[in-house]
Amino acid sequence: MHAIELKTITKKYPGAEKAAVSNLCLTVEKGEIVTLLGPSGCGKSTTLRMIAGFKKADKGSITLAGNIMSSSNTWIPPERRGVGMVFQDYALFPHLNVFNNVGFGYKDRDRKERIAEIIELVNLKGYEKRYPHQLSGGQQQRVALARALARKPVVILLDEPFSSLDADLRNHMRLEVKRIIKESGATAIFVSHDQKDALAISDSIVVMNHGIIQQKGTPQEIYQYPRNKFVATFVGQTNILKGKTGEDKYSVITALGAIRRTQPHGLKPGEEVYVSIRPDSLEVNHEGQIKGYIKELTYTGQSIDAVVEVIADDNTKLHLLTHIHPQEHKKVGEPVRLEIIPHFISVMPSCA
């Protein structure tokens, strides 16, 4: 039995030309952390709100832990769905301390014990009597997550939970929130437009655009083997080339020559395709086959992002993005050679 199952969910807002979500099908297993990832207006927040019961689907069904919550003849209100919600602004009650915020709405006999257990899980023991204004942003987020977990929900829904945090705290809270969810055994769905959030916390990522799922997979699958041009360009940086599949199942003929990958592309010879080459797959090497010169350099701390201008076989100019180790001393205008490493190369039909 799936923890969450969405079947052909469609939602169109009045006056809109297109549906916000169109025939969406998705299953989430118990204990899994899934991120709905995509640009603004892709339908991810609408999907989250339909699962929570804040929005009603025009058609399709929503099942949580084997129980139908929404269908053509069934509607269960939000408060009876067993869903815990963590809002973007945390929505803590300013007049309640941490203990009472976490325990809000929880009336079972083990209330004190359960609240204490959850507070310890989120590393806030000793903060029970503090009020939200006395807490940091990360502490407030943990209170909001604790409140969502207190009632042992079927699923926890988190709407852009890291968007208001600064970069350092954001990196820390990704790890903290993932730890808390995993230790609690909860099933969680995140909504995010930030690829770093999705890659860091997810068991599975669902990339959406225009209300349609573009790809579902592990973070590694989404990054290393995007199925279409949208996923390749939205998740991470990449270089997109046009090409045609070669006679064997591993090669593609492009303006840079024949490019081989480690896995078969599964397409017929001569088929028109796009090739996604991650910067990680372009290495500066004095014996590399691709000649060019450095057009731009951007120091990021972890690496140097370099744009290399290359004259392709058809005499067109191509700009390729690669990463250079920060200890390398390169200058704009300097000639370089690049070697393609086949680990982060994806081949996609041009119609995808």
Side-chain angles (χ1 to χ4, degrees):
M1 182 177 63
H2 304 297
I4 304 169
E5 187 171 11
L6 311 182
K7 290 184 178 179
T8 60
I9 292 296
T10 296
K11 177 67 178 178
K12 185 177 181 182
Y13 292 107
E17 291 184 11
K18 296 182 179 180
V21 176
S22 181
N23 290 314
L24 186 144
C25 297
L26 177 66
T27 57
V28 178
E29 304 305 322
K30 185 177 180 181
E32 191 177 13
I33 298 176
V34 174
T35 297
L36 305 181
L37 177 68
S40 297
C42 73
K44 57 188 186 295
S45 292
T46 296
T47 301
L48 198 78
R49 286 173 170 80
M50 287 191 288
I51 296 171
F54 301 148
K55 301 282 185 184
K56 192 170 185 177
D58 297 333
K59 71 172 186 177
S61 65
I62 297 172
T63 303
L64 302 181
N67 300 309
I68 295 176
M69 299 290 128
S70 174
S71 68
S72 59
N73 54 13
T74 303
W75 173 256
I76 305 299
E79 64 272 15
R80 291 174 51 204
R81 293 195 177 195
V83 169
M85 189 83 187
V86 179
F87 296 95
Q88 187 172 342
D89 61 357
Y90 314 141
L92 300 180
F93 298 105
H95 63 290
L96 297 180
N97 60 23
V98 168
F99 186 91
N100 289 320
N101 258 294
V102 172
F104 184 81
Y106 190 80
K107 299 178 181 179
D108 289 2
R109 291 181 180 179
D110 66 342
R111 185 175 188 272
K112 288 185 178 180
E113 293 79 7
R114 177 62 179 166
I115 295 171
E117 176 188 352
I118 292 297
I119 285 177
E120 186 167 0
L121 175 66
V122 300
N123 285 337
L124 285 175
K125 191 173 182 179
Y127 290 80
E128 291 87 346
K129 295 183 179 180
R130 294 196 186 184
Y131 289 84
H133 73 274
Q134 297 173 310
L135 303 174
S136 68
Q139 290 167 341
Q140 289 181 30
Q141 186 176 67
R142 279 183 277 164
V143 173
L145 182 56
R147 184 176 60 189
L149 287 168
R151 289 186 283 180
K152 303 176 183 177
V154 174
V155 60
I156 299 173
L157 307 177
L158 302 99
D159 189 4
E160 301 276 8
F162 307 118
S163 60
S164 62
L165 304 178
D166 60 48
D168 288 340
L169 184 55
R170 191 171 188 141
N171 290 335
H172 173 72
M173 288 309 300
R174 286 181 188 134
L175 300 176
E176 258 309 86
V177 169
K178 183 174 184 178
R179 175 193 67 80
I180 291 166
I181 291 173
K182 286 299 183 182
E183 287 186 10
S184 71
T187 304
I189 295 185
F190 281 76
V191 157
S192 181
H193 65 274
D194 188 297
Q195 55 178 307
K196 290 182 180 179
D197 290 347
L199 292 170
I201 64 176
S202 308
D203 297 313
S204 297
I205 298 173
V206 177
V207 183
M208 296 180 65
N209 194 33
H210 301 307
I212 298 170
I213 293 178
Q214 303 295 310
Q215 185 174 349
K216 180 186 177 184
T218 66
Q220 184 178 1
E221 288 168 345
I222 295 292
Y223 183 80
Q224 197 163 350
Y225 303 115
R227 287 184 185 169
N228 59 39
K229 190 177 178 182
F230 174 80
V231 176
T233 54
F234 187 79
V235 181
Q237 298 171 308
T238 195
N239 302 284
I240 299 290
L241 301 177
K242 289 183 178 181
K244 287 187 178 181
T245 50
E247 290 300 318
D248 64 64
K249 55 188 177 180
Y250 294 93
S251 65
V252 179
I253 310 305
T254 73
L256 294 177
I259 295 174
R260 291 186 64 82
R261 53 178 259 156
T262 54
Q263 306 236 347
H265 49 62
L267 301 172
K268 296 178 181 178
E271 199 167 332
E272 292 188 356
V273 294
Y274 286 115
V275 182
S276 167
I277 306 174
R278 297 291 188 190
D280 316 67
S281 266
L282 284 171
E283 184 178 73
V284 176
N285 187 326
H286 68 276
E287 295 182 353
Q289 298 298 309
I290 302 171
K291 300 178 183 179
Y293 73 92
I294 295 175
K295 189 173 180 65
E296 296 177 21
L297 289 172
T298 304
Y299 180 74
T300 66
Q302 297 176 333
S303 66
I304 299 171
D305 288 351
V307 176
V308 178
E309 186 169 289
V310 174
I311 304 299
D313 293 346
D314 58 1
N315 289 322
T316 59
K317 289 183 180 180
L318 297 176
H319 293 120
L320 303 177
L321 177 64
T322 186
H323 299 319
I324 300 175
H325 195 280
Q327 286 188 335
E328 293 276 347
H329 299 289
K330 299 294 182 183
K331 296 179 181 179
V332 172
E334 185 176 337
V336 291
R337 286 177 174 264
L338 299 175
E339 178 184 5
I340 297 178
I341 303 169
H343 296 89
F344 293 95
I345 295 173
S346 186
V347 179
M348 306 159 287
S350 59
C351 59

